[in-house]
């Protein structure tokens, strides 16, 4: 197990270094001069030369990469050309909104996936309708699904708000930036309820696709194990099909679903960036959308590195959880 953990952590570090290298190369081949972007096109030659020296742009390329890499490790992602603030500071303002939306979307996706897998495997009443609704929803592009959701549930029915994270104006900034958690910590249950009201529709939109993907993989694994020897032994003991699924079959079937969950989490974050534009959600989707038109490379690179690191970290955690669920994975190396 120790060797397996070490190999996964080593692979994670190697991928992150490679990703940082790619962003470094893209920054150097970009036609935009970072010094003039910071000082302005009318800056004097002396000011430009002094700034280049201060930024280390006259150093050998390997030295520059080392500084870029160590800076990224310590959280120094540069200064945004647009906001004139440190990119890490900007991300601290925008990431909590995206993280809260993604977390609630993931929770909904897992619940729907388990419901889809169990209901279709055990042939519960209404399973066919649930499957049809989920498959139809997941086949539509996220932006279209979001627009349709607003037309139906906001414009026509008035069940959900149109945009934003909250309609309450006196929300105190909390320690985490997650409105639901900060509201609970401060005893502001009105903030929690309002935040959940705003989260419901966008979180459901980003959850549909991952729910179907995870649910299909889980269902396939459940069907493969439902007639196994240990399942037949459990039936002989008088356990119901639901008890057999929950107590015995699920643990042996969860490995493939965990792998798919790790993949879908990464795809979910890319979907979040689109959904944030539809719902006016003040997260990193808004930040990157404002940075791209003005070629704010430090901001773009900072978001890319953050999402890449998060994706690699989540998949590493999934690999370790798979090894815990099935120790044979650690023995064979996955």
């Amino acid at each position: 197990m120790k060797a397996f953990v070490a190999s996964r952590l080593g692979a994670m570090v190697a991928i992150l270094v490679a990703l940082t290298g790619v962003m470094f190369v893209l920054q150097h081949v970009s036609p935009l001069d970072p010094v003039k972007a910071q000082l302005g096109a009318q800056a004097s030659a002396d000011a430009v030369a002094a700034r280049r020296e201060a930024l280390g742009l006259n150093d050998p390329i390997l030295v520059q990469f080392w500084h870029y890499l160590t800076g990224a490790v310590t959280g120094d992602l540069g200064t945004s050309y647009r906001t004139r603030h440190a990119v890490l500071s900007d991300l601290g303002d925008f990431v909590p909104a995206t993280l809260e939306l993604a977390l609630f979307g993931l929770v909904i996706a897992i619940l729907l996936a388990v419901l889809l897998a169990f209901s279709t495997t055990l042939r519960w009443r209404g399973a066919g309708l649930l499957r049809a609704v989920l498959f139809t929803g997941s086949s539509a592009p996220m932006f279209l699904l979001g627009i349709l959701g607003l037309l139906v549930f906001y414009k026509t029915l008035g069940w959900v708000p149109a945009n934003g994270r909250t309609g309450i104006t006196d929300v105190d900034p909390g320690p985490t930036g997650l409105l639901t958690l900060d509201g609970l910590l401060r005893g502001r249950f009105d903030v929690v309820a309002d935040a959940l009201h705003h989260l419901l529709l966008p979180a459901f939109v980003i959850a549909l696709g991952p729910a179907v993907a995870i649910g299909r993989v889980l269902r396939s694994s459940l069907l493969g194990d439902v007639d196994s020897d240990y399942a037949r032994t459990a039936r002989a003991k008088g356990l119901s099909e639901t008890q057999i699924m929950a107590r015995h079959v699920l643990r042996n079937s969860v490995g493939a679903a965990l792998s798919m969950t790790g993949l879908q989490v990464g795809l979910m974050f890319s979907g979040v960036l689109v959904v944030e534009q539809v719902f006016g959600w003040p997260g990193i989707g808004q930040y990157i959308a404002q940075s791209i038109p003005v070629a704010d490379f430090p901001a773009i690179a900072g978001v890319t590195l953050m999402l890449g690191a998060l994706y690699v970290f989540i998949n590493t955690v999934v690999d370790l959880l798979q090894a815990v669920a099935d120790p044979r994975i650690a023995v064979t190396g996955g």
Side-chain angles (χ1 to χ4, degrees):
M1 176 65 80
K2 291 182 179 180
F4 178 79
V5 172
S7 67
R8 289 300 185 267
L9 294 179
M12 179 179 70
V13 172
I15 293 172
L16 292 177
V17 171
L19 177 61
T20 306
V22 170
M23 300 312 301
F24 176 79
V25 171
L26 290 177
Q27 182 172 356
H28 274 264
V29 300
S30 171
L32 184 66
D33 187 340
V35 175
K36 291 185 177 180
Q38 292 183 18
L39 300 181
Q42 305 303 321
S44 66
D46 290 340
V48 170
R51 189 58 179 166
R52 288 186 66 85
E53 184 66 29
L55 293 175
L57 297 178
N58 296 327
D59 295 336
I61 194 70
L62 291 179
V63 174
Q64 292 185 48
F65 174 65
W66 174 252
H67 290 161
Y68 187 81
L69 177 61
T70 54
V73 170
T74 57
D76 182 6
L77 300 174
T79 301
S80 168
Y81 301 156
R82 180 177 58 87
T83 67
R84 306 297 180 181
H85 299 152
V87 172
L88 185 63
S89 175
D90 285 343
L91 291 179
D93 294 334
F94 288 94
V95 165
T98 297
L99 182 61
E100 186 168 41
L101 177 58
L103 287 175
F104 274 85
L106 179 61
V107 170
I108 293 175
I110 292 175
L111 291 177
L112 289 176
V114 172
L115 180 61
L116 174 64
F118 270 63
S119 63
T120 53
T121 302
L122 297 176
R123 293 184 172 85
W124 291 346
R125 182 176 297 178
L129 177 61
L130 174 65
R131 183 177 181 181
V133 171
L134 291 181
F135 273 69
T136 302
S138 66
S139 63
M142 281 192 182
F143 74 90
L144 178 60
L145 198 61
I147 292 172
L148 290 176
L150 286 174
L151 289 176
V152 174
F153 297 104
Y154 164 69
K155 186 68 174 178
T156 304
L157 299 176
W159 289 356
V160 297
N163 53 44
R165 296 181 71 191
T166 181
I168 299 177
T169 57
D170 63 338
V171 177
D172 297 326
T176 67
L178 308 181
L179 293 183
T180 49
L181 181 56
D182 291 341
L184 288 174
L185 293 175
R186 296 178 181 275
R188 291 289 305 273
F189 298 107
D190 58 328
V191 172
V192 177
D194 187 65
L196 290 174
H197 191 205
H198 283 77
L199 274 167
L200 184 60
L201 183 57
F204 188 80
V205 168
I206 66 173
L208 277 181
V212 171
I214 298 169
R216 291 178 69 176
V217 172
L218 180 58
R219 178 178 181 270
S220 178
S221 299
L222 291 175
L223 290 174
D225 288 339
V226 73
D227 291 325
S228 60
D229 292 339
Y230 63 83
R232 286 194 291 268
T233 301
R235 288 190 189 92
K237 293 180 179 180
L239 296 180
S240 67
E241 290 297 320
T242 302
Q243 289 175 321
I244 294 172
M245 284 286 185
R247 296 182 186 180
H248 302 283
V249 176
L250 182 59
R251 178 173 180 177
N252 292 280
S253 305
V254 77
L258 280 175
S259 293
M260 179 57 69
T261 301
L263 175 62
Q264 291 300 316
V265 166
L267 298 176
M268 180 180 289
F269 272 99
S270 64
V272 165
L273 303 185
V274 175
V275 170
E276 286 184 355
Q277 299 302 301
V278 176
F279 290 92
W281 195 264
I284 58 175
Q286 294 280 3
Y287 182 62
I288 199 71
Q290 295 166 0
S291 299
I292 290 176
V294 296
D296 188 354
F297 192 88
I300 298 169
V303 171
T304 303
L305 287 173
M306 184 200 68
L307 292 179
L310 184 62
Y311 179 74
V312 173
F313 173 76
I314 289 173
N315 278 274
T316 301
V317 172
V318 167
D319 286 345
L320 298 179
L321 290 176
Q322 282 184 296
V324 172
D326 187 356
R328 294 172 298 179
I329 295 176
V331 175
T332 60

